[in-house]
Amino acid sequence: MTEDLGYGWQGDLIDLPAYLKRIGHDGGLDPTPETLRALHRAHVMSIPFENLEIMVGRPVELSLDAVQAKLVGGPRGGYCFEHNRLFAGVLERLGYEIVALAGRVMMGMSTLRPCTHVILLVRPPDLPRDEPGWLCDVGFGGGPLEPLRFRDGEDVEQDGWGFRLLKGRSTTTWDGGADEWALHQRLPRGWVLRHAFPMNELFRVDFEVLNHYVSTSPRSPFTMRPFTQRFLPDVHYVLDGTDLTTTRPDGTTETRTLAPSELPETLAKLFGIVLEPEDASRLIEFVRRRDG
């Protein structure tokens, strides 16, 4: 047995038939841009974003077995480290080249934010070296539906949702700075800087370190309240605590506040997240304590 040195994404351990069934993909699997777009769209539409393990008192596990059991084997979802851990393994299995990158989630803020998000730079194996790869992000919860080319000024419309990729220089203490990319998203309030990321490669062990902070620190927003998302061509659902927001591609938005007891049914109906009865009770109690 070969020692696992921590490189790569363990694509040989992916249960590919189960994954393809979970996302409803029955098309081609050749490692082409067309396959990448189809898989990305199917994944985003099928597996929701959620942080509910934290609310029910369990750690967020990033082993491939744990991620597949939760996101593929059950009617559950996960957040960026789980989603992109799984997607990287699938793409590696199919023959794509993958580099993981860390992002600073800005959402329109101007103050420096920590790196708490991960995305993937993906290249089909036959892509010429002078051609840009693709930004893949199946784990943010708010799109994009399909990858974006790593091309400065890339501006795309996907089923009415707008995304823009720009290249710039980061602000550092030394002359010149470093290459940094920024993903902008068109929201009801206009174009917003969603996250920024330098071209510094991450590995699985880095996912573990970032995941520990995000899932355990009292300063992390993900330890404070349930946060789930489902992104579809015609609607974006967000459950933030007990506030349920529905946004359409034309910018229309509706928000209503749920009672804690409504959360499990809403999660099942709108997000495709089905909790075990004990977990549903723990979630309701967590929210009641938080709001009490």
Side-chain angles (χ1 to χ4, degrees):
M1 183 176 180
T2 303
E3 180 184 3
D4 177 15
L5 300 178
Y7 298 97
W9 300 99
Q10 299 178 311
D12 58 317
L13 302 180
I14 288 288
D15 186 342
L16 190 58
Y19 173 79
L20 297 174
K21 181 179 179 180
R22 174 74 165 100
I23 67 171
H25 177 80
D26 58 2
L29 294 177
D30 291 337
T32 64
E34 293 73 24
T35 299
L36 183 62
R37 284 193 291 267
L39 291 173
H40 194 289
R41 175 178 281 261
H43 184 120
V44 169
M45 291 174 55
S46 302
I47 309 179
F49 180 101
E50 53 130 310
N51 68 333
L52 301 179
E53 290 298 273
I54 302 168
M55 275 71 256
V56 302
R58 285 193 296 270
V60 178
E61 300 285 352
L62 295 187
S63 72
L64 194 55
D65 285 346
V67 170
Q68 290 193 104
K70 181 166 173 253
L71 276 66
V72 176
R76 292 290 305 276
Y79 58 20
C80 66
F81 305 110
E82 298 166 281
H83 277 278
N84 285 312
R85 172 75 178 89
L86 173 64
F87 200 56
V90 170
L91 296 182
E92 184 182 73
R93 170 73 174 269
L94 296 178
Y96 293 91
E97 300 174 10
I98 302 105
V99 173
L101 305 170
R104 303 181 188 276
V105 179
M106 305 299 292
M107 296 309 296
M109 298 182 68
S110 57
T111 55
L112 187 64
R113 307 294 295 165
C115 289
T116 57
H117 182 58
V118 291
I119 62 171
L120 304 176
L121 165 57
V122 179
R123 297 180 60 86
D126 295 333
L127 189 70
R129 301 317 298 181
D130 59 349
E131 288 288 322
W134 300 82
L135 180 154
C136 292
D137 190 359
V138 296
F140 194 79
L145 288 165
E146 298 180 3
L148 278 71
R149 293 297 296 268
F150 260 99
R151 184 163 24 212
D152 188 19
E154 180 81 350
D155 198 331
V156 299
E157 190 92 5
Q158 298 177 353
D159 296 80
W161 305 101
F163 299 92
R164 180 178 293 157
L165 192 58
L166 299 173
K167 183 179 181 181
R169 306 292 286 180
S170 63
T171 301
T172 69
T173 57
W174 59 279
D175 292 339
D179 285 343
E180 185 171 76
W181 290 80
L183 179 66
H184 297 253
Q185 184 171 3
R186 191 177 64 235
L187 299 178
R189 65 183 187 270
W191 283 98
V192 171
L193 170 59
R194 194 169 91 174
H195 49 255
F197 42 94
M199 300 297 282
N200 294 330
E201 185 173 7
L202 297 184
F203 300 93
R204 281 183 276 136
V205 67
D206 301 312
F207 277 39
E208 296 283 353
V209 174
L210 294 172
N211 178 59
H212 177 73
Y213 168 80
V214 169
S215 65
T216 65
S217 171
R219 299 182 61 184
S220 167
F222 288 142
T223 63
M224 299 177 184
R225 87 288 195 214
F227 189 68
T228 66
Q229 300 186 78
R230 190 173 186 191
F231 193 78
L232 299 168
D234 61 341
V235 66
H236 180 204
Y237 294 114
V238 177
L239 180 64
D240 188 343
T242 55
D243 291 335
L244 175 65
T245 299
T246 303
T247 303
R248 303 287 177 180
D250 64 3
T252 57
T253 300
E254 175 188 347
T255 300
R256 65 185 182 95
T257 300
L258 307 176
S261 60
E262 295 180 271
L263 295 179
E265 182 179 355
T266 300
L267 288 168
K269 181 179 179 181
L270 296 183
F271 297 87
I273 298 171
V274 180
L275 298 176
E276 296 292 335
E278 184 175 331
D279 286 346
S281 298
R282 288 174 176 172
L283 174 63
I284 293 170
E285 181 59 26
F286 176 94
V287 174
R288 285 175 173 164
R289 287 199 311 268
R290 186 200 71 151
D291 295 344

